[in-house]
Amino acid sequence: MVLVLSGEDVASLVSLPDVAAEVERAQIKQDAGAAERPNRPHYPIGRGLDGNEPLGTGLAMPAYIHGSDHFATKLVSVHEGNPEGVPTLHSQLLLADARTGLPVSIMDANGVTNARTGCIGGLAARSLAVSPVDLAVIGAGVQARWQTRAVDALCDLRSVAIYAPSESKHAAADDLASEGIPASAAESAESAVRDANVVITATTSTEPVFPAEAVREGTLVVGIGAFRPEMQEIEPAVFDAAARVFADVPSEAIETGDLAATSLTADRLVPLGEAFTGETGRRADDEVLVVESVGSAVFDAATAEHVYGLARDRGVGTTVEL
């Protein structure tokens, strides 16, 4: 029997502080080599339907954390050309028993992905930012909201400035303000960054989204959006000014457009788990620090197992026979 969890089911079970604890544990285990995370293939989808160009990208993201009762495989599709009102990203996750391989749950993974990705920004801010946090978020989509929520859940958040070149920044700020988060829309990326001590970029941009000279001393910059070589959110000068650069997956982060434009090599990136354990962190209040995140299926596996356990305990979801 397999427990099916809808997006609504998952949303009812997600608590950001709890998910953050799972992501933190997963990052530390991954950095210690106590996780299996095969390379995730990217492949074009839709070629031949409306011409020779693909309509989207598919990803398969398997992972297993040593000692866990379950392993996970997440399937993701990204269709950036979707019409308005149709989400760009869709994901589903299969959780299976690590002893037998039997499937135990199929869940809508959008909520899992949103929460665990948001928690990277929140955990980075909790571990590396100067408190209280004045946050600038560049981007006004779903992930901009989740990054802000996670920082709010894990830090002493004093203010939030949301910037995007479209009017979407007002909707994002209003949504967050309605949740009790002190958010407002900024008139420019530069003004948002100048007033911040934590900057999070959550876009799909192929070029830098704020000027490097706007970053003041003591700022933590977290890049979330650039996970492919052609994507770039952060100018090389920001990395040049950084005392240390952290990455959740150094071997993959170095291939993003953000880091490919710098002289950095993978061995100079600090595994993010060292910030969580306190092994490596902020050494002075005036240091500029950078975190480059590409995401990891290990975070999905940890979060999904946590959600599945809660669902069973609380009787949430629908049981079916495959």
Side-chain angles (χ1 to χ4, degrees):
M1 302 299 286
V2 176
L3 183 63
V4 178
L5 298 174
S6 68
E8 186 174 330
D9 293 332
V10 172
S12 73
L13 298 167
V14 165
S15 160
L16 284 172
D18 291 344
V19 172
E22 295 298 328
V23 171
E24 182 177 47
R25 178 182 66 85
Q27 178 75 68
I28 293 168
K29 293 273 279 189
Q30 175 181 275
D31 291 350
E36 307 300 328
R37 192 188 57 84
N39 291 334
R40 55 184 181 187
H42 295 62
Y43 53 97
I45 297 170
R47 183 173 280 144
L49 289 177
D50 298 327
N52 292 326
E53 294 300 316
L55 303 177
T57 300
L59 300 87
M61 301 175 63
Y64 175 65
I65 300 170
H66 296 184
S68 297
D69 290 330
H70 305 94
F71 64 98
T73 303
K74 187 172 78 170
L75 300 177
V76 183
S77 62
V78 183
H79 287 70
E80 294 178 0
N82 276 356
E84 185 175 353
V86 179
T88 296
L89 184 145
H90 299 272
S91 58
Q92 308 82 40
L93 187 143
L94 173 65
L95 199 67
D97 190 293
R99 291 179 176 84
T100 65
L102 289 170
V104 299
S105 181
I106 297 172
M107 65 184 73
D108 181 286
N110 289 342
V112 169
T113 303
N114 289 335
R116 65 83 160 163
T117 305
C119 284
I120 289 294
L123 287 164
R126 187 176 71 181
S127 301
L128 297 170
V130 176
S131 186
V133 170
D134 292 306
L135 175 64
V137 179
I138 311 301
V142 170
Q143 194 47 229
R145 291 163 167 82
W146 280 97
Q147 293 292 323
T148 304
R149 291 173 183 134
V151 174
D152 182 57
L154 300 179
C155 303
D156 178 9
L157 181 60
R158 183 165 58 186
S159 67
V160 184
I162 306 286
Y163 177 75
S166 70
E167 292 302 300
S168 60
K169 58 181 175 284
H170 295 290
D174 290 346
D175 286 350
L176 292 166
S178 72
E179 299 171 19
I181 297 173
S184 61
E187 292 305 312
S188 69
E190 181 176 3
S191 65
V193 172
R194 283 198 188 281
D195 294 333
N197 61 5
V198 176
V199 177
I200 299 180
T201 58
T203 76
T204 58
S205 182
T206 57
E207 57 187 33
V209 295
F210 64 87
E213 59 268 21
V215 177
R216 71 191 195 192
E217 289 186 348
T219 298
L220 168 67
V221 179
V222 183
I224 294 295
F227 63 92
R228 294 198 300 258
E230 68 273 16
M231 302 174 79
Q232 186 180 11
E233 299 181 298
I234 303 171
E235 289 185 4
V238 176
F239 294 95
D240 293 341
R244 280 166 297 287
V245 178
F246 297 80
D248 53 1
V249 189
S251 61
E252 293 182 7
I254 200 65
E255 299 177 356
T256 66
D258 279 345
L259 286 169
T262 74
S263 61
L264 288 168
T265 53
D267 62 342
R268 291 179 58 193
L269 303 179
V270 182
L272 186 56
E274 292 190 16
F276 298 163
T277 61
E279 181 179 350
T280 307
R282 176 174 291 279
R283 296 172 188 165
D285 285 354
D286 63 352
E287 287 184 327
V288 172
L289 302 175
V290 179
V291 173
E292 186 76 10
S293 173
V294 294
S296 171
V298 173
F299 307 152
D300 296 308
T303 304
E305 185 168 49
H306 169 69
V307 167
Y308 171 68
L310 290 177
R312 289 190 62 185
D313 290 345
R314 299 178 187 178
V316 175
T318 304
T319 301
V320 300
E321 185 173 0
L322 293 183

